[in-house]
Amino acid sequence: MINSGELLYELSRDVRSHMEPTRAAALDQAVYAGARNGFQFRYESIRVPDDAVARMASPDPLAAFATFMSSPEVIGLLRDITGIRGIRFADAQATAYSPGIS
């Protein structure tokens, strides 16, 4: 995921690994230029489906963790701790941010 102002672009690891070197370098330079004068980020993520059936079918340990965090016991505890009665499920993703350059 890369931002450009208010816009977000999702480029998978596979897509980025198949970019021509000059295009990948141009993308890096655009990210660095954005960071010099504003808020910029670049990260990779593993998303967990929000759908409970899809989570249960996933072999991903992160999906199992999200299922646990969405269990009635945990949701009840989170409601008690926060005082927010509207909590219905836990969203989850793993995120890896890329280092910048100096």
Side-chain angles (χ1 to χ4, degrees), residues 11-27:
L11 301 172
S12 69
R13 182 178 283 186
D14 185 54
V15 167
R16 287 183 297 105
S17 70
H18 289 93
M19 289 178 101
E20 294 178 14
T22 55
R23 189 167 183 188
L27 179 60

Side-chain angles (χ1 to χ4, degrees), residues 69 74-89:
M69 291 298 293
V74 174
I75 293 296
L77 177 63
L78 293 173
R79 288 175 181 159
D80 290 344
I81 290 170
T82 64
I84 301 171
R85 306 316 303 162
I87 297 173
R88 300 279 179 250
F89 74 99

Side-chain angles (χ1 to χ4, degrees), residues 34-51:
R36 277 192 287 277
N37 299 313
F39 179 70
Q40 183 70 53
F41 59 77
R42 172 176 47 191
Y43 65 86
E44 293 183 52
S45 66
I46 300 170
R47 295 180 186 209
V48 174
D50 289 341
D51 179 69

Side-chain angles (χ1 to χ4, degrees), residues 4-5 10 14-15 24 26 30 32 34 36 49-50 53 55-56 80 97-98:
S4 177
E10 189 166 352
D14 185 54
V15 167
Y32 302 145
R36 277 192 287 277
D50 289 341
V53 174
R55 281 185 181 182
M56 294 299 288
D80 290 344
Y97 288 89
S98 299

